[in-house]
Amino acid sequence: MWREIKNVEQLESFLEEIKNFHDSWIYKVELISGTSLNERQGMEISISEGRIIYQSQLISANFELRLKGIDCFHINWNEAQSKEMSAGLIKYKENMFYWYSDDNFEELNDISWFCCKKLLWRYSS
């Protein structure tokens, strides 16, 4: 069952539940751009969305984030670096959720991150 995060209190509760992404990593990413062809081969633009499945050494089940209304999405993939997160971060400001793969960074290009209008989560198998 998907649970929507609607405010800072729910966000803090979620982060506590998943141990602030400590010893977690992105297992799978699915993105839908929101742009597609209609029956007349015309371009249609709708709301972009995505789904990220995480695994963790500290939590027995996988957990997922569902993103709706994605504004920015950046994956910094470097095979030479560990994909494990020591501590991730989610902020809620100006009606947007901002997720960062590290809570201590200098440049956004050094980490993976996204921002979206709506955020839901659940445990998955």
Side-chain angles (χ1 to χ4, degrees), residues 87-108:
L89 176 66
I90 300 178
K91 292 183 178 182
Y92 182 70
K93 61 182 179 182
E94 300 174 5
N95 296 320
M96 297 288 283
F97 291 95
Y98 295 82
W99 172 82
Y100 306 97
S101 62
D102 194 332
D103 64 354
N104 184 20
F105 61 91
E106 294 182 22
E107 296 287 330
L108 280 177

Side-chain angles (χ1 to χ4, degrees), residues 23-25 76-86 101:
D23 289 340
S24 297
W25 54 90
N76 181 19
W77 198 263
N78 183 339
E79 281 300 316
Q81 295 176 339
S82 169
K83 306 303 181 272
E84 182 181 336
M85 291 178 269
S86 59
S101 62

Side-chain angles (χ1 to χ4, degrees), residues 2-109:
W2 288 104
R3 297 177 234 180
E4 184 175 355
I5 300 171
K6 296 181 180 179
N7 55 47
V8 173
E9 293 78 24
Q10 290 176 340
L11 177 58
E12 289 172 354
S13 177
F14 163 71
L15 290 171
E16 186 176 308
E17 175 105 9
I18 56 111
K19 316 240 184 297
N20 290 309
F21 296 94
H22 186 75
D23 289 340
S24 297
W25 54 90
I26 294 173
Y27 175 70
K28 182 178 181 180
V29 175
E30 178 180 274
L31 286 174
I32 300 170
S33 71
T35 305
S36 60
L37 290 174
N38 63 24
E39 6 358 285
R40 291 187 231 133
Q41 294 298 100
M43 184 172 68
E44 288 188 357
I45 299 173
S46 62
I47 296 173
S48 57
E49 60 180 77
R51 189 172 65 109
I52 304 173
I53 300 173
Y54 298 86
Q55 291 183 327
S56 172
Q57 292 178 311
L58 303 178
I59 301 169
S60 59
N62 294 349
F63 59 96
E64 297 179 51
L65 287 180
R66 186 171 175 191
L67 326 171
K68 292 191 171 190
I70 298 170
D71 190 48
C72 298
F73 195 96
H74 173 80
I75 295 285
N76 181 19
W77 198 263
N78 183 339
E79 281 300 316
Q81 295 176 339
S82 169
K83 306 303 181 272
E84 182 181 336
M85 291 178 269
S86 59
L89 176 66
I90 300 178
K91 292 183 178 182
Y92 182 70
K93 61 182 179 182
E94 300 174 5
N95 296 320
M96 297 288 283
F97 291 95
Y98 295 82
W99 172 82
Y100 306 97
S101 62
D102 194 332
D103 64 354
N104 184 20
F105 61 91
E106 294 182 22
E107 296 287 330
L108 280 177
N109 287 336

